[in-house]
Every structure is written in structure tokens, then in C-alpha cells.
């Protein structure tokens, strides 16, 4: 049984949060540059140039990429042969998140649903983190992190279709979601789609799909083809960078598909803005 100290996890998570707030990951940065090269609209091309410049300034000056520093979302694979010493893994993730947001001078964005009272002085600074655990073989802890902003999350949706809707129904639904969203989620976007499972499984899968590297190919050939088809259809909508009109509305479409009940076809669409802040570490 491998032992990992509580404080080691806290420190790793803290650094992950701070780094991700100021450094756009290479896959997202390269995707913005590709979008700039391929954009046909002079206005959207200029907007993309500004987004790239913003990423450069954030990195050079160590300032947040966006004023919305998001809610902390984690997908964590825990090896069966790992023991956290000195506290629980959940507490370590939350403590590391709080320290990252505090020491990085990042905005505390969690509040109660109706009074909108900020929880920084009661529950904790930008807590609780949204954590999804999975138990796997091995003696390591694999941590995927993303800062999820409100603008993109607000336009995300989920729906359970009858099976007869098929691929065409899914394509039209995703087009509807992105069309209705317009400029609000700050395109160009990464679009995560969860297909199958149950209502909640589809939603979680669509969120996890956003963590995949932009430009990577789905391991399932059928899903890879569907991703490309949906991406092409979304870029025909003409929304463009920050809604200014253009050919580069979407940087990538990522699908996670799951087996589902014979009587249902759950579909979830989770949207990520151009500032796709995600990172991955293994301890």
C-alpha cells in the first residue's frame, strides 16, 4: 500500500489552481491560433488575435485569463493501493482549492442558490469544489482539474430523447443549444457531449469530455465521425469569435458515449468558453 501525505496533495492542487488560472493550456492556445489562420471574417479574425494576445499577457504577467475564475471541477481516479495519510482525499482537494484561489488572488464565486450569499466566510473560499471520484487499479492518484465559468455553464443543457431520435436528433439538438447560446458563452467554444447512460451519467460525461485535449481524435471511429459532423454544422451557424460573426464558432466537439436503457437516449451538451482552463497531474 503506497502512502501519500495529505499536505502533498494540498500543495499539488493549490499549484494546479494557480497555474491554470494564468496559463492557457497548449492545446487550447494552439486551437485559437489555428482558428485565427482559418477564420474568414476580418472582424472575428481581429477578435481571435486579441484573445491570443490576452493569453500571452496572462502568462507573461501571471494574471488571470478571465475575471470569472470559475468553480473548481475535479475528476479524480484513485488507485486501490493508495492511502492518504493525515486526512481525507476530499478534504485535501478542498483545502488545496481554497489556498489556490486565495493565494492566486482569484475571485470567490460560490454562493447560496437563492440569497446569493457568498460562502467564502462560512463554507470556504470558492468551496466546495465539485469532485467526481472513480476507484481504479494501481497506487496513484490521477487528478483532472478545470475552472468552469458561469457564462458557458449557463447555456449547457441536457435532455432525454426517445431512441428513434438517433444521430440526426442529437445533431439538431446540439445545433439548437449552440445557436440559442449565441455569444453568451464567449466563443470559440469547446463542446462536450455526453450520450447514453442515464440523465446524470450523460451530464457528467459531457462535462468530462471537455477535459480531452483539443485536437485529439475519439478512439471510437463512429464517435469521431459524429464529432466532425457536429463541429462542421456548428461552424456553419456563423456565430464567430465572441459572437462577432465568422466561420470559427467551435474549436472542438468531444463526445463520451455510454450504454443506455433500451427505451431512452439521454443527451447532454456542456459548453466551454475559449478560455478552456484545464490541467492534469498524477501523484
Amino acid at each position: 500500500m503506497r502512502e501519500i501525505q495529505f499536505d502533498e496533495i494540498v500543495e499539488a492542487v493549490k499549484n494546479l489552481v494557480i497555474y491554470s488560472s494564468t496559463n492557457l493550456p497548449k492545446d487550447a492556445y494552439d486551437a485559437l491560433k489555428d482558428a485565427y489562420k482559418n477564420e474568414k471574417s476580418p472582424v472575428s479574425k481581429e477578435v481571435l488575435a486579441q484573445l491570443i494576445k490576452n493569453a500571452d499577457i496572462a502568462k507573461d504577467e501571471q494574471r488571470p485569463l478571465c475575471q470569472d475564475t470559475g468553480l473548481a471541477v475535479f475528476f479524480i481516479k484513485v488507485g486501490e493501493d493508495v492511502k492518504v495519510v493525515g486526512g481525507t482525499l476530499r478534504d485535501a482537494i478542498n483545502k488545496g482549492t481554497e489556498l489556490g484561489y486565495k493565494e492566486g488572488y482569484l475571485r470567490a464565486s460560490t454562493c447560496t442558490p437563492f440569497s446569493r450569499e457568498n460562502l467564502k466566510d462560512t463554507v470556504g473560499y470558492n468551496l466546495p469544489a465539485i469532485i467526481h471520484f472513480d476507484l481504479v487499479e494501481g497506487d496513484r492518484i490521477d487528478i483532472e482539474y478545470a475552472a468552469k465559468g458561469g457564462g458557458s455553464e449557463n447555456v449547457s443543457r441536457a435532455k432525454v430523447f426517445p431512441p428513434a431520435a438517433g444521430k440526426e436528433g442529437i445533431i439538431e439538438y446540439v445545433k439548437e443549444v449552440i445557436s440559442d447560446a449565441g455569444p453568451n458563452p464567449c466563443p470559440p467554444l469547446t463542446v462536450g457531449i455526453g450520450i447514453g447512460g442515464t440523465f446524470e451519467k450523460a451530464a457528467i460525461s459531457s462535462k468530462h469530455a471537455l477535459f480531452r485535449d483539443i485536437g485529439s481524435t475519439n478512439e471510437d471511429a463512429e464517435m469521431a465521425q459524429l464529432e466532425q459532423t457536429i463541429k462542421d454544422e456548428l461552424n456553419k451557424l456563423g456565430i464567430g469569435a465572441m459572437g462577432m460573426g465568422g466561420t470559427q464558432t467551435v474549436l472542438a466537439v468531444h463526445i463520451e458515449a455510454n450504454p443506455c436503457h433500451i427505451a431512452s437516449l439521454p443527451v447532454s451538451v456542456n459548453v466551454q468558453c475559449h478560455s478552456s482552463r484545464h490541467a492534469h497531474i498524477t501523484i
Side-chain angles (χ1 to χ4, degrees):
M1 178 69 70
R2 178 178 174 231
E3 294 185 349
I4 301 178
Q5 294 298 316
F6 178 89
D7 289 341
E8 180 183 349
I9 299 169
V10 170
E11 185 70 13
V13 170
K14 180 192 79 172
N15 293 336
L16 195 64
V17 168
I18 294 173
Y19 181 85
S20 297
S21 72
T22 58
N23 291 264
L24 193 64
K26 186 176 185 302
D27 64 315
Y29 186 81
D30 289 345
L32 285 177
K33 285 199 162 184
D34 286 341
Y36 174 82
K37 292 176 185 176
N38 296 324
E39 181 55 67
K40 305 298 187 223
S41 164
V43 176
S44 276
K45 199 174 185 74
E46 176 57 29
V47 172
L48 285 163
Q50 292 178 20
L51 296 180
I52 294 167
K53 183 178 180 181
N54 177 76
D56 290 335
I57 292 172
K59 180 180 180 181
D60 292 342
E61 298 186 8
Q62 290 298 285
R63 298 179 184 272
L65 285 150
C66 177
Q67 53 84 23
D68 184 349
T69 52
L71 288 188
V73 180
F74 294 89
F75 284 86
I76 302 179
K77 293 179 180 178
V78 186
E80 293 180 314
D81 298 322
V82 170
K83 179 182 180 181
V84 178
V85 179
T88 69
L89 178 56
R90 184 182 298 275
D91 286 347
I93 298 299
N94 276 313
K95 184 176 180 180
T97 297
E98 181 169 38
L99 289 175
Y101 273 81
K102 278 185 174 181
E103 295 183 18
Y105 300 99
L106 308 177
R107 190 179 78 183
S109 299
T110 54
C111 65
T112 58
F114 300 120
S115 72
R116 312 309 289 178
E117 178 186 356
N118 199 291
L119 298 175
K120 61 185 177 65
D121 296 322
T122 53
V123 176
Y125 200 94
N126 218 52
L127 296 184
I130 311 301
I131 309 173
H132 304 280
F133 290 107
D134 189 15
L135 194 61
V136 298
E137 294 182 351
D139 62 357
R140 298 178 182 275
I141 299 175
D142 193 73
I143 302 174
E144 292 178 300
Y145 164 76
K148 195 65 169 64
S152 58
E153 194 75 354
N154 289 354
V155 300
S156 301
R157 296 186 200 167
K159 182 176 181 178
V160 180
F161 286 89
K167 291 180 183 177
E168 289 305 315
I170 292 173
I171 293 169
E172 290 305 311
Y173 179 60
V174 178
K175 287 170 62 178
E176 175 188 315
V177 172
I178 302 304
S179 180
D180 288 352
N184 294 325
C186 299
L189 310 169
T190 304
V191 180
I193 304 174
I195 301 174
T198 54
F199 183 87
E200 80 278 8
K201 179 65 174 179
I204 293 171
S205 293
S206 68
K207 176 65 66 63
H208 187 247
L210 296 174
F211 287 72
R212 207 177 92 203
D213 283 347
I214 297 173
S216 61
T217 302
N218 199 308
E219 295 179 357
D220 184 297
E222 182 180 25
M223 293 304 130
Q225 183 176 4
L226 184 57
E227 287 177 349
Q228 187 61 53
T229 298
I230 294 175
K231 180 183 176 183
D232 292 343
E233 289 296 314
L234 295 180
N235 281 329
K236 290 177 185 176
L237 294 174
I239 296 170
M242 302 302 286
M244 299 302 291
T247 60
Q248 303 298 303
T249 301
V250 171
L251 300 175
V253 173
H254 294 161
I255 295 174
E256 286 195 7
N258 308 283
C260 59
H261 192 280
I262 57 174
S264 64
L265 179 60
V267 179
S268 176
V269 181
N270 201 267
V271 181
Q272 181 63 293
C273 68
H274 67 269
S275 186
S276 181
R277 298 160 293 186
H278 63 272
H280 176 199
I281 59 169
T282 301
I283 300 174

